[in-house]
Amino acid sequence: MPEGDILRRVALRLSQVLVDQTITYCLFRWPSLAGADLTGQTVERVDAYGKHLLMRLDSGLTFRSHLRMDGAWLVEKAVDGSPASGSRAERWTARAVLANQSWVVIGQRLGMADLLRSRDLERLTGRLGPDVMAEDFDPDQAAGRVAAQGDRGIGTTLLDQTVVAGIGTIYMAESLFEWRVRPDRPANRVPDLPGLLAYARRLLWRSVNARTPTATGLTGRGQTSLAHGREHQPCRRCSTPIAVMRVGVPPLDRPAFYCPTCQPS
Ligand SMILES: [Zn+2]
């Protein structure tokens, strides 16, 4: 599932091609947006908040989308303000297609899409925890929210977007590996929670600024994580095979990779 670093990359890319441009083509393959037409509106900004992408328009509306499991935003050259013939915009997986004179952006396999009034946004983002990637992120304040989850497992807690927003399975696993804490340790028994959150934030931002997404700073194949996705492969610190447990309550449980030796409890 795309995490905060991916969303920032998407927001930066879409900002480059959309901001200050007027929409010349608009297509939604999304039931609740049937008939919605954004042509003639100008994109003021594109932001990521947690795992949401927010596209603010000069009409006072914001187009909000979420990538869920395997969504993506594609960018293509436009032909006279519309998708070219044969464009990926024609595929049924293209849920939202917007174009300006030069560029087409295509929201593929989006997990959520809606239009809301920009002035209602604050109320909506208020339901999410503080965005771990935001400029004004306060690790001490966020750590208080995490500790308040009591004996709930730290892995589940870090994934709960209403506690802190922007961390997914990759950066949960990588941060806990660095902290030598098992994903099921009670949240209120993890040492230096502010440090842990600040560390996750550093990893996410380093990934945004790397050539391709990476939790280690390395971008070679098989080198982008220390624990995540490495089940049965030797731990890079102690050679114990990396293990995986499920965290969270089914059917919303998620994999948490860890080293049984480096992260004994
Ligand atoms: Zn190990």
Side-chain angles (χ1 to χ4, degrees):
M1 182 184 284
E3 302 188 28
D5 60 328
I6 301 288
L7 264 293
R8 294 286 153 152
R9 295 176 85 95
V10 171
L12 288 171
R13 179 70 185 123
L14 295 191
S15 295
Q16 288 166 351
V17 298
L18 294 179
V19 169
D20 293 336
Q21 303 295 317
T22 300
I23 295 170
T24 52
Y25 177 97
C26 173
L27 170 73
F28 292 116
R29 291 191 183 92
W30 196 270
S32 62
L33 294 175
D37 184 5
L38 305 180
T39 58
Q41 300 188 29
T42 298
V43 178
E44 289 183 334
R45 51 189 298 177
V46 183
D47 295 309
Y49 191 97
K51 298 180 181 181
H52 293 264
L53 188 79
L54 305 172
M55 204 180 284
R56 256 174 225 259
L57 303 157
D58 66 345
S59 59
L61 291 175
T62 289
F63 174 55
R64 176 175 65 158
S65 61
H66 193 297
L67 299 176
R68 294 270 193 256
M69 294 309 285
D70 57 355
W73 280 93
L74 312 173
V75 177
E76 293 180 355
K77 281 267 191 193
V79 175
D80 295 332
S82 295
S85 134
S87 160
R88 290 171 287 184
E90 294 170 4
R91 297 182 188 168
W92 67 270
T93 49
R95 301 298 185 191
V97 182
L98 299 172
N100 54 44
Q101 206 50 41
S102 308
W103 298 100
V104 184
V105 299
I106 303 161
Q108 283 231 93
R109 296 191 195 85
L110 299 179
M112 183 261 264
D114 59 8
L115 275 171
L116 26 112
R117 288 180 303 182
S118 301
R119 60 187 154 95
D120 292 340
L121 264 182
E122 201 148 317
R123 188 166 51 80
L124 289 160
T125 52
R127 285 188 211 143
L128 294 172
D131 183 349
V132 73
M133 298 191 71
E135 264 172 46
D136 60 356
F137 180 69
D138 178 347
D140 291 312
Q141 190 254 345
R145 296 173 65 93
V146 171
Q149 298 292 307
D151 59 6
R152 193 177 178 202
I154 183 65
T156 318
T157 300
L158 291 179
L159 294 180
D160 184 341
Q161 303 298 300
T162 67
V163 179
V164 281
I167 300 176
T169 50
I170 300 174
Y171 294 91
M172 176 266 288
E174 297 294 303
S175 307
L176 294 179
F177 178 79
E178 175 68 19
W179 242 240
R180 302 187 182 236
V181 164
R182 232 169 88 126
D184 58 356
R185 187 184 302 183
N188 60 1
R189 287 185 38 226
V190 174
D192 188 16
L193 279 171
L196 174 66
L197 292 164
Y199 182 75
R201 172 187 165 85
R202 278 204 302 282
L203 292 186
L204 282 156
W205 270 112
R206 183 173 65 185
S207 178
V208 172
N209 295 320
R211 190 162 46 83
T212 55
T214 172
T216 58
L218 303 173
T219 53
R221 197 181 158 82
Q223 299 179 332
T224 58
S225 70
L226 295 176
H228 185 79
R230 298 191 66 244
E231 191 182 8
H232 304 316
Q233 295 179 51
C235 170
R236 297 198 205 273
R237 273 199 297 245
C238 74
S239 298
T240 303
I242 295 291
V244 62
M245 68 168 77
R246 306 294 298 183
V247 297
V249 180
L252 299 175
D253 56 326
R254 310 292 310 282
F257 295 84
Y258 69 104
C259 171
T261 301
C262 295
Q263 298 162 266
S265 66

